[in-house]
Amino acid sequence: MDGAMDTENQTFQPGPDTTRAFRDALGRFATGVTIVTTQTPDGPIAITANSFASLSLDPPLVLWSPAKASARFVPFTEAQHFAIHVLAADQAALCSEVARDARRFRPGDLTENENGVPLIETALAHFECARDAVHDGGDHVIVVGRVQRVRMREGEPLLFLNGQFGGFRALG
């Protein structure tokens, strides 16, 4: 090329000057949307996360990654028990509310398991976990949970892509 910028493709090295571009590139990966809950001395607390992933079938382990800069960081990295809820397509409003307010729940929104962990019964699935490990991950940590119980129901998942909520359409 004659020095003109290729507008279809962008190549860069991640760094302080390309943070927005790096974030945009990561946004090209569609993820499910979750809400993680735990109990604190002040009551139930929640955080949204799209960093959820399965880790192991034997033993049953999952992971998620809260940001160190989050005001909700400490309660979740210190929690001995927590639940990860996979949201359904009709739960985008709940996700947005929890993103703004960690304690947005109203009476009747939650039940509790035997460990006192708040559960969103309307979620597509929830994974009740005991903290197995916490690992450093740059500006986040990786929280590994040992899954103790799972509940799931039929439904369409809530997806997140390029900063927007959406759904899934099968191709075949």
Side-chain angles (χ1 to χ4, degrees):
M1 288 181 68
D2 59 1
M5 185 170 162
D6 181 352
T7 57
E8 287 191 34
N9 295 301
Q10 188 179 17
T11 303
F12 59 90
Q13 288 195 290
D17 296 335
T18 58
T19 301
R20 180 74 250 170
F22 185 54
R23 188 178 181 116
D24 290 346
L26 292 170
R28 301 302 195 267
F29 182 69
T31 66
V33 182
T34 69
I35 292 177
V36 184
T37 58
T38 195
Q39 193 62 256
T40 72
D42 298 323
I45 189 171
I47 190 170
T48 59
N50 67 342
S51 59
F52 170 70
S54 62
L55 180 61
S56 171
L57 295 176
D58 186 18
L61 300 174
V62 295
L63 64 86
W64 72 288
S65 302
K68 292 177 180 177
S70 171
R72 305 172 201 185
F73 178 77
V74 172
F76 282 100
T77 56
E78 292 181 352
Q80 293 301 308
H81 295 94
F82 57 90
I84 301 172
H85 304 83
V86 177
L87 297 186
D90 63 355
Q91 294 180 305
L94 173 62
C95 181
S96 296
E97 290 171 15
V98 167
R100 287 189 299 274
D101 180 359
R103 300 184 189 276
R104 63 77 48 211
F105 298 106
R106 295 172 288 277
D109 282 353
L110 302 172
T111 60
E112 288 184 5
N113 70 12
E114 66 277 359
N115 294 312
V117 175
L119 300 174
I120 303 168
E121 292 296 329
T122 58
L124 208 54
H126 70 242
F127 300 85
E128 298 173 43
C129 301
R131 186 182 71 198
D132 192 74
V134 177
H135 303 283
D136 186 60
D139 58 3
H140 286 63
V141 296
I142 302 160
V143 178
V144 178
R146 182 177 294 262
V147 180
Q148 299 178 314
R149 183 175 15 221
V150 177
R151 189 197 57 75
M152 65 180 182
R153 67 174 177 85
E154 293 298 317
E156 295 297 318
L158 180 63
L159 300 180
F160 191 70
L161 176 67
N162 289 328
Q164 297 181 8
F165 294 118
F168 175 79
R169 183 177 58 85
L171 297 176

